[in-house]
């Protein structure tokens, strides 16, 4: 079982939600396998129910499962860690303070674990108080490079920048991309990303030289009437991804 996401040319993999097992399979095919499919622990009453169901998602995506919190809910942190220990998925979503627990319970360093870090309105400064208790207190504002180092100390793989509001925090996002590139750390832009701004957001991260990128595109491509992610929209995102990464390769070759 492969524990690492299937990045396109070792650079980019998409992260989208699946509303059903069939939806997950359709999404996986639409992205030609370069995707981790999000399933939220918040949707299950027990660990056992989540594990039993998520195994089915693993089966149709070659373990391309992303165990999610649910809108970054810190109260789901412990459940995410427990479920991930059993499932050994390719991708785990965590609040900043839950990263160490998830890595320890996984017992290996291959699965990607992100740490949720939020914008502050100050370029180069982020809020790491995203845990169940810390999120109820005053923001813990630290330099981006320090936040990255803390995540590395805890066994984190990537920096989940949320909520971005699309390009609302563009200058802050640019500072994050530069810091991630400088530290050789992965990045997961999240929140308000849609078919209109996806290309600009991904291009910023690629131009900065971020090693590996997993953009999260959630509600904007979900059919509100069915609750399912539209595979045709995933195909559009995949086409943009492939074009931008291929263009970077051409520039590098020159």
């Amino acid at each position: 079982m492969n524990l690492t996401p299937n990045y396109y040319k070792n650079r980019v993999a998409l992260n989208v939600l699946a509303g059903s097992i069939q939806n997950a399979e359709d999404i996986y095919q639409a992205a030609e396998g370069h995707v981790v499919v999000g399933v939220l622990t918040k949707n299950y009453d027990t660990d056992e129910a989540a594990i039993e169901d998520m195994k089915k998602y693993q089966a149709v995506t070659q373990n391309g499962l992303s165990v999610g919190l649910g809108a970054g809910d810190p109260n789901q942190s412990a459940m995410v860690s427990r479920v991930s220990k059993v499932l050994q998925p390719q991708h785990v979503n965590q609040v900043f303070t839950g990263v160490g627990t998830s890595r320890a319970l996984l017992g290996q360093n291959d699965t990607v674990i992100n740490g949720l870090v939020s914008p502050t309105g100050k370029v180069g400064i982020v809020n790491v108080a995203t845990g169940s208790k810390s999120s109820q207190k005053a923001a813990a504002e630290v330099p981006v490079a320090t936040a990255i180092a803390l995540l590395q100390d805890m066994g984190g793989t990537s920096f989940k920048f949320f909520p971005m509001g699309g390009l609302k925090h563009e200058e802050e996002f640019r500072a994050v991309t530069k810091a991630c590139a400088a530290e050789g750390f992965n990045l997961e832009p999240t929140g308000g990303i849609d078919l209109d701004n996806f290309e600009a957001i991904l291009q910023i991260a690629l131009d900065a030289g971020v090693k590996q990128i997993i953009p999260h595109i959630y509600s904007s491509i979900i059919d509100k009437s069915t609750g399912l992610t539209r595979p045709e929209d995933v195909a559009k995102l995949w086409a943009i991804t492939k074009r931008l990464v291929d263009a970077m390769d051409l520039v590098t070759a020159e």
Side-chain angles (χ1 to χ4, degrees):
M1 184 167 67
N2 192 349
L3 298 176
T4 306
N6 184 21
Y7 297 99
Y8 180 60
K9 294 189 174 179
N10 207 33
R11 292 300 301 278
V12 182
L14 301 174
N15 188 324
V16 301
L17 292 175
S20 71
I21 295 160
Q22 183 61 55
N23 193 211
E25 187 171 2
D26 293 342
I27 288 165
Y28 188 77
Q29 292 174 354
E32 296 182 5
H34 298 287
V35 63
V36 285
V37 177
V39 184
L40 309 177
T41 58
K42 198 169 187 175
N43 293 338
Y44 301 92
D45 292 331
T46 66
D47 291 10
E48 292 74 20
I51 290 164
E52 181 181 357
D53 200 42
M54 288 186 190
K55 283 180 178 178
K56 299 171 185 175
Y57 287 86
Q58 287 179 300
V60 298
T61 61
Q62 303 294 310
N63 197 35
L65 172 68
S66 172
V67 179
L69 297 155
D73 184 354
N75 295 312
Q76 293 299 122
S77 178
M79 185 175 179
V80 164
S81 290
R82 295 191 305 265
V83 167
S84 297
K85 174 187 177 181
V86 176
L87 292 172
Q88 297 287 308
Q90 290 182 357
H91 187 268
V92 174
N93 290 275
Q94 263 301 357
V95 291
F96 189 86
T97 53
V99 171
T101 300
S102 281
R103 180 59 74 197
L105 289 179
L106 281 167
Q108 41 84 0
N109 294 316
D110 296 324
T111 292
V112 168
I113 305 174
N114 66 36
L116 195 160
V117 179
S118 299
T120 61
K122 305 171 186 176
V123 176
I125 303 295
V126 292
N127 176 29
V128 299
T130 60
S132 58
K133 291 186 177 180
S134 57
S135 61
Q136 304 303 312
K137 304 297 183 181
E141 298 185 351
V142 303
V144 177
T146 302
I148 291 171
L150 288 166
L151 285 169
Q152 290 171 325
D153 284 343
M154 294 186 289
T157 315
S158 57
F159 196 101
K160 182 176 181 178
F161 195 48
F162 172 87
M164 279 179 50
L167 286 164
K168 179 182 176 183
H169 298 278
E170 182 176 348
E171 291 310 307
E172 288 178 78
F173 177 60
R174 287 182 181 276
V176 167
T177 63
K178 290 175 183 176
C180 285
E183 301 297 332
F185 204 59
N186 296 348
L187 175 61
E188 303 188 25
T190 314
I193 303 178
D194 56 30
L195 287 168
D196 294 325
N197 60 32
F198 172 74
E199 181 168 346
I201 289 168
L202 181 56
Q203 190 68 67
I204 289 169
L206 287 169
D207 286 345
V210 179
K211 186 172 67 170
Q212 292 174 322
I213 309 154
I214 303 181
H216 294 226
I217 312 92
Y218 283 0
S219 59
S220 67
I221 59 170
I222 293 175
D223 186 320
K224 301 302 183 290
S225 63
T226 65
L228 303 177
T229 290
R230 293 183 288 268
E232 61 271 26
D233 286 351
V234 176
K236 291 174 185 175
L237 293 166
W238 163 237
I240 294 169
T241 299
K242 191 174 181 180
R243 173 167 54 80
L244 295 188
V245 175
D246 287 348
M248 294 298 293
D249 271 4
L250 288 174
V251 170
T252 303
E254 292 172 356

